[in-house]
Amino acid sequence: MDDLIRTDLDRALGFTIPGRHARGRFARLGPLLDEILAAHAYPPVIEALLAEALTLAALIGATLKDAGGQLTMQTQTEAGPVRLMVADYKGGALRGYVQFDADQVAAFPQTPGLQALFGGAGYLAITFDQALTGERYQGIVPLDGETLAEAAQSYFAQSEQIPTLVRAGLRRLSDGRRVAGGLLLQHLPEGEEGRERLHTRLDHPEWHHVEALGATMEVEEIADSATPLETLVWRLFNEEPEVRVLSELVLSRGCRCSADYIAQVLAKFPPEEQAEMADADGVIMVDCAFCAKHFPIRVGERVD
């Protein structure tokens, strides 16, 4: 059982339901989530928010066909206590951080909605960067719902025009560990050209059946590390004539900072600007917002 539990943490599993013209994906984060959160002393409210964002990044990022592509989710507002949140995915690697007003967050109840966290004026931007073609495209939607999962559903409906169901959230275990889980279900447009994708709701009403089944699964069940992801697929769709389970995707923590990379970036600044950034000893101290590591870089330091 211990091996099974370890196997079913920090991975994602995709599947398709050909007879219902639908596809889906489960994701479950464990040790990598603890590692990301451990780098910052986040209060529980912010931990839950970032855990949900990282789970969504895994669910949506795993749909990228370009192995070198990157998905970035960003929320931002000038009105609420959460000023900025970033979560990104690249090749199965996840990273994220949150900037927030600690005093305002401390006054919140245990489960505030997005309106409270972002002051009722925030937005969610989802950006896809394609490594092979160099193309970038982005969709932006307001943070109108109660959860980031609801905002992600709005993104797919408005920007992608794909009927979608999203579930994501955090489960705290009695020993202090955290497990996040999520489900993404989507209706496939069947490659129809020259038509609005939302028209597929009318063409294929069986999507409502898939959506209704997916809505019965709670986050607590998805984040139960003792239950294999394959079992979750079976619980939802065992009455379907055919369900195709795809290859699993192993997830990891993926901060891409390094002293060499930072030195290369700083070397692009003119010497006088580098001198202004340096302390009395000629050292520029650079902090990584994602992993909270500190990198002392000496002015003029060359990296081969």
Side-chain angles (χ1 to χ4, degrees):
M1 176 61 71
D2 289 342
D3 290 339
L4 182 62
I5 293 175
R6 285 197 296 269
T7 299
D8 274 55
L9 289 170
D10 296 341
R11 74 174 185 132
L13 184 71
F15 57 91
T16 63
I17 312 170
R20 299 286 184 181
H21 310 289
R23 68 179 178 183
R25 187 173 299 275
F26 280 105
R28 187 181 290 150
L29 316 183
L32 83 86
L33 178 63
D34 282 330
E35 191 176 359
I36 291 173
L37 296 179
H40 304 271
Y42 290 135
V45 167
I46 300 301
E47 284 187 348
L49 183 69
L50 184 55
E52 184 180 8
L54 291 166
T55 304
L56 293 173
L59 288 169
I60 301 171
T63 64
L64 285 167
K65 296 180 180 180
D66 183 350
Q70 178 174 320
L71 168 98
T72 302
M73 295 181 55
Q74 180 174 321
T75 64
Q76 193 165 358
T77 180
E78 297 180 358
V82 176
R83 307 297 166 75
L84 173 68
M85 184 189 67
V86 179
D88 74 30
Y89 167 100
K90 185 175 183 180
L94 295 165
R95 63 178 184 171
Y97 73 95
V98 185
Q99 294 178 357
F100 62 98
D101 185 301
D103 291 335
Q104 292 185 56
V105 170
F108 280 154
Q110 290 186 350
T111 56
L114 295 186
Q115 297 297 304
L117 289 171
F118 294 95
Y123 64 84
L124 171 68
I126 299 180
T127 306
F128 294 87
D129 290 288
Q130 305 291 339
L132 292 177
T133 63
E135 295 178 327
R136 164 181 285 196
Y137 61 96
Q138 183 183 75
I140 300 176
V141 294
L143 292 167
D144 291 335
E146 287 298 309
T147 66
L148 288 175
E150 291 180 22
Q153 283 188 183
S154 296
Y155 162 80
F156 282 109
Q158 297 178 28
S159 298
E160 299 287 330
Q161 296 185 319
I162 301 176
T164 302
L165 174 72
V166 185
R167 288 281 187 272
L170 176 66
R171 179 184 184 186
R172 290 184 173 86
L173 306 183
S174 58
D175 60 4
R177 292 180 296 121
R178 291 149 292 202
V179 178
L183 166 65
L184 174 73
L185 283 175
Q186 293 184 311
H187 181 38
L188 298 175
E190 290 193 292
E192 296 155 326
E193 297 181 359
R195 306 175 59 194
E196 293 289 336
R197 288 185 180 181
L198 283 181
H199 286 173
T200 56
R201 284 186 183 270
L202 303 177
D203 298 339
H204 304 296
E206 66 270 17
W207 159 249
H208 297 295
H209 176 76
V210 173
E211 183 182 34
L213 288 177
T216 64
M217 184 157 284
E218 300 294 335
V219 170
E220 287 288 314
E221 187 176 4
I222 302 172
D224 180 3
S225 59
T227 304
L229 297 181
E230 290 85 354
T231 298
L232 297 182
V233 178
W234 183 86
R235 284 179 181 174
L236 285 180
F237 304 112
N238 63 84
E239 295 184 359
E240 295 298 320
E242 181 182 15
V243 177
R244 300 174 185 172
V245 176
L246 309 178
S247 299
E248 71 168 5
L249 174 67
V250 177
L251 303 171
S252 63
R253 181 195 180 196
C255 193
R256 298 183 287 278
C257 66
S258 70
D260 288 351
Y261 173 75
I262 293 172
Q264 290 172 3
V265 173
L266 291 175
K268 297 177 182 179
F269 289 87
E272 57 272 19
E273 292 188 23
Q274 294 186 43
E276 292 177 0
M277 292 185 281
D279 60 19
D281 296 322
V283 174
I284 302 173
M285 185 62 70
V286 179
D287 300 332
C288 175
F290 288 99
C291 65
K293 290 182 180 178
H294 308 292
F295 296 90
I297 307 297
R298 187 166 297 279
V299 171
E301 183 175 342
R302 296 180 60 88
V303 179
D304 298 327

